[in-house]
Amino acid sequence: MTADEQTPREFDPYLAQGEVKHPDQTDPYFGHLITAMVTPFTADDRVDFKAFEALAAKLVDEGNDSLVVSGTTGETSTLEDYEKADLVRAAKSAVGDRAKIIAGTSTNHTSHDLEMAVKAERAGADGQLVVTPYYNKPSQDGVYAHFTAVADAVDLPLMIYDIPGRTGIPVATETILKLAEHPRIMSLKDAKNDITATTEVLTKTDLEIYSGDDQNVLAWMAMGAAGVVSVTSHVAAPTFRRMVDAVLNYELKAARIAHSELGPVIRALMTRVQGAVASKLVLGWLGFDIRPDVRLPLVQANAAEQELIRSDLREAGWTL
């Protein structure tokens, strides 16, 4: 048999039958599929830890390698510090060593970030997600000093979260390249939508890069990214898992099919209302025991928004 006649699986020495193997790196510390979890609330606005633990277990059962607790979708800006630490403990209790727990420790006040990093470590977190300081718009020197200080505060792997649409400023590529030299800064959640910048970081660093936009996962992984930190995976984790594994196995056709299936679902969860609002709503529609309640200034989806979400999901073939 000539090389031209061999199948990609037979020809590629990195791939063994039945295995998922990425040839370019060891398995990423946080894995490939990560859900940024919502924080369920009770009718009296308390954290619903029973629903939260059940959701964490469900997500891991469906193929998640790690979970983000008290991130943007977890309504971190309206959670109390003690609630954030308790959520880390609850997640660890629910999933044990089946998945890693990444604590959102971000504020725009560096000393507060340091306190939150210590609380997360003491609560048992496996890593921390740190966003660019928002509102006060520091210089890139300030951004570098902020991330370095938080990384130095505890012995936790740190994931940079670059999302200028929310924070007001990007983390410049030059700053990321410098931060990548820190031994505890291991990964980047990239929601900047700058393919040139992402390519440069992929080429020049060993950072494990995750798409921070659900619609970009296939493209980013094709360039060499590790995977995704997703919101839509609350309700479509098996399809994300199928797509991720297809990319890792060089099965482009299968990855494209999964990507196309996810399109209307991503639109429903990510474009009609804020992600936490949509995720809780759709989880409830699917029969999961979770209330649609969110904390102000977020509010529940109105009737028109709900119909748009239903329409998107019908397009995906879902019956609700």
Side-chain angles (χ1 to χ4, degrees), residues 103-170:
T105 57
S106 299
T107 73
N108 64 340
H109 182 183
T110 303
S111 66
H112 192 190
D113 264 36
L114 305 187
E115 293 175 13
M116 295 310 301
V118 171
K119 290 178 186 292
E121 184 177 48
R122 289 176 178 171
D126 300 294
Q128 58 175 330
L129 177 68
V130 181
V131 76
T132 319
Y134 44 88
Y135 186 74
N136 34 24
K137 288 191 173 182
S139 67
Q140 288 298 310
D141 285 345
V143 170
Y144 176 81
H146 175 82
F147 278 109
T148 301
V150 180
D152 285 342
V154 291
D155 190 24
L156 287 178
L158 186 149
M159 181 185 291
I160 299 167
Y161 187 8
D162 187 11
I163 182 166
R166 283 187 180 272
T167 63
I169 58 169

Side-chain angles (χ1 to χ4, degrees), residues 168-216:
I169 58 169
V171 186
T173 301
E174 294 77 11
T175 305
I176 295 174
L177 298 182
K178 288 171 57 182
L179 289 169
E181 298 173 3
H182 194 289
R184 281 189 289 279
I185 297 179
M186 294 178 55
S187 50
L188 167 68
K189 181 181 177 183
D190 180 358
K192 189 156 53 183
N193 281 319
D194 183 339
I195 194 168
T196 302
T198 301
T199 301
E200 186 172 357
V201 175
L202 279 164
T203 330
K204 294 183 177 179
T205 77
D206 292 324
L207 288 176
E208 295 164 353
I209 297 181
Y210 295 85
S211 173
D213 289 297
D214 287 358
Q215 69 270 20
N216 288 343

Side-chain angles (χ1 to χ4, degrees), residues 26-38:
T26 57
D27 288 338
Y29 177 77
F30 293 121
H32 300 284
L33 177 58
I34 306 170
T35 295
M37 289 185 64
V38 297

Side-chain angles (χ1 to χ4, degrees), residues 75 77-78 294-300:
E75 299 177 66
S77 56
T78 53
V294 288
R295 283 181 175 171
L296 286 170
L298 297 182
V299 295
Q300 295 181 33

Side-chain angles (χ1 to χ4, degrees), residues 2 20 44 53 64 112 118 142 146 156 165-166 182-183 202 236 238 257 283 287 305-306 317:
T2 68
V20 174
D44 59 355
E53 291 184 11
N64 276 270
H112 192 190
V118 171
H146 175 82
L156 287 178
R166 283 187 180 272
H182 194 289
L202 279 164
I257 291 171
L283 281 167
E305 291 164 339
Q306 290 188 36

